Amino acid sequence: MNERAERSLTGLFDSHAHYFDRRFEAEAEEGADGILCREVFGKGMAGVINVATNPENARACIGQAARYERMYAAIGIHPEDCLHLDSSAEEELEKLLPWLEESQIRKEKKIVAIGEIGLDYYWQPCDKERQAAFFEAQLSLAQQLDMPVIIHDRDAHGDCFETVLRYPRVMGVFHSFSGSAEMAKELCRRGWYLSFSGVLTFRNARRVREVAEIVPAEQMLLETDCPYLTPEPYRGRLNHSGYLCHTAELLASVRGMTYEEIVAQTSANTKRLFKIM
């Protein structure tokens, strides 16, 4: 990290990361553990939520969270991943239930949400019907278990919005939010949180910055989505939680707040949403 990256990480909370991703082992000399020890928790990061995308990497996600006091887990089935699974939504969710059904097990494993779930219409053609079946099944489970969710919404804003409206007792966050200001206002009015990633720092991210200006302070989160969506000035490199300070700095500028205020507010919001003490 160069001189510009020397903002303090103390108190920052990365609400969405994927440290089990194979890119860490392929592209980082010391792998994910080296980065976490040296660049993340070693520099005072308040917490990281490690987010699974399918039943297989859910096990790795939980295992990593167990090794770090300030790492937590979210497990679910991503809309892209569901297209590569052989079984139905119900059968695939059966593989996650041993970790989710009992609140005591969730507490022991530090599982704080169901996610990453949602819809992704970016890659075409896509099986919208299968994605919808997995999305609805996981929202139903979240409602049954009274758990927050982490929503993936890529080029599917209308369908994502209409789907979550059918589950009014489910709350959570739209991660790396990319919808309109109008959608953001309506989601926030209904109690949803919106998370901002390194995309906020991109030169062409005018619409995302417009949303960042209007979201209520108590409903905004910060995330990396690492190893993806690396913020400027490191765009193109392997992302990690140590770079979250750049997104926080940009959000502070957009909001007319200090960096310290943004760190404190977004960390408090993350802990409140995911019931992290």
Side-chain angles (χ1 to χ4, degrees):
M1 298 172 75
N2 65 15
E3 186 176 344
R4 188 180 168 184
E6 288 305 313
R7 278 285 197 180
S8 172
L9 300 184
T10 301
L12 267 175
F13 206 123
D14 185 352
S15 68
H16 193 111
H18 305 286
Y19 278 103
F20 51 83
D21 193 288
R22 292 171 184 168
R23 280 189 62 188
F24 284 106
E25 301 310 313
E27 299 177 37
E29 186 175 338
E30 298 177 55
D33 287 323
I35 288 175
L36 285 164
C37 291
R38 185 181 66 253
E39 301 290 352
V40 180
F41 297 124
K43 293 190 176 180
M45 201 90 180
V48 173
I49 298 178
N50 205 24
V51 184
T53 63
N54 62 50
E56 180 181 354
N57 61 39
R59 186 177 300 278
C61 176
I62 293 168
Q64 283 181 311
R67 296 202 296 273
Y68 297 95
E69 180 183 358
R70 286 169 283 165
M71 179 179 275
Y72 305 86
I75 61 175
I77 301 173
H78 190 286
E80 288 184 42
D81 289 48
C82 82
L83 302 178
H84 306 291
L85 300 174
D86 296 328
S87 304
S88 68
E90 290 71 22
E91 289 172 312
E92 292 296 339
L93 282 179
E94 284 287 334
K95 301 173 183 177
L96 299 179
L97 288 181
W99 291 307
L100 292 173
E101 280 188 307
E102 300 295 332
S103 60
Q104 186 58 37
I105 293 176
R106 296 199 303 267
K107 184 177 180 180
E108 290 172 0
K109 301 296 184 183
K110 298 192 291 180
I111 299 170
V112 297
I114 294 177
E116 173 176 357
I117 68 176
L119 301 172
D120 191 317
Y121 296 167
Y122 180 76
W123 299 108
Q124 294 293 333
C126 69
D127 190 339
K128 293 184 179 181
E129 185 175 342
R130 183 167 174 82
Q131 286 193 21
F134 273 79
F135 192 18
E136 297 250 10
Q138 292 179 96
L139 286 171
S140 179
L141 180 62
Q143 183 167 271
Q144 175 189 334
L145 298 176
D146 190 27
M147 291 184 68
V149 295
I150 297 173
I151 303 289
H152 174 101
D153 169 18
R154 191 179 190 192
D155 292 355
H157 306 315
D159 286 351
C160 260
F161 183 72
E162 291 179 10
T163 304
V164 299
L165 291 188
R166 292 197 285 274
Y167 298 85
R169 290 194 287 116
V170 176
M171 278 303 133
V173 58
F174 274 65
H175 103 88
S176 192
F177 185 77
S178 60
S180 66
E182 291 73 22
M183 180 180 176
K185 288 177 183 177
E186 189 57 29
L187 285 170
C188 291
R189 187 181 73 82
R190 294 170 182 271
W192 285 85
Y193 291 66
L194 306 181
S195 181
F196 299 98
S197 67
V199 172
L200 187 70
T201 71
F202 297 174
R203 292 181 179 87
N204 61 348
R206 178 181 57 82
R207 187 163 81 162
V208 178
R209 286 193 283 272
E210 288 175 353
V211 171
E213 288 179 2
I214 61 149
V215 61
E218 64 274 11
Q219 289 169 268
M220 59 185 183
L221 306 185
L222 284 169
E223 64 164 279
T224 56
D225 197 23
C226 65
Y228 309 99
L229 304 184
T230 313
E232 297 288 357
Y234 298 109
R235 190 174 180 182
R237 296 189 189 180
L238 182 79
N239 196 12
H240 60 72
S241 302
Y243 291 150
L244 188 61
C245 57
H246 296 290
T247 307
E249 195 169 33
L250 200 288
L251 183 59
S253 175
V254 167
R255 301 280 306 190
M257 298 170 68
T258 67
Y259 176 81
E260 291 74 19
E261 288 170 338
I262 283 293
V263 169
Q265 182 71 68
T266 56
S267 295
N269 295 346
T270 303
K271 292 174 183 178
R272 182 191 323 114
L273 173 61
F274 297 110
K275 298 179 175 63
I276 295 170
M277 304 303 291

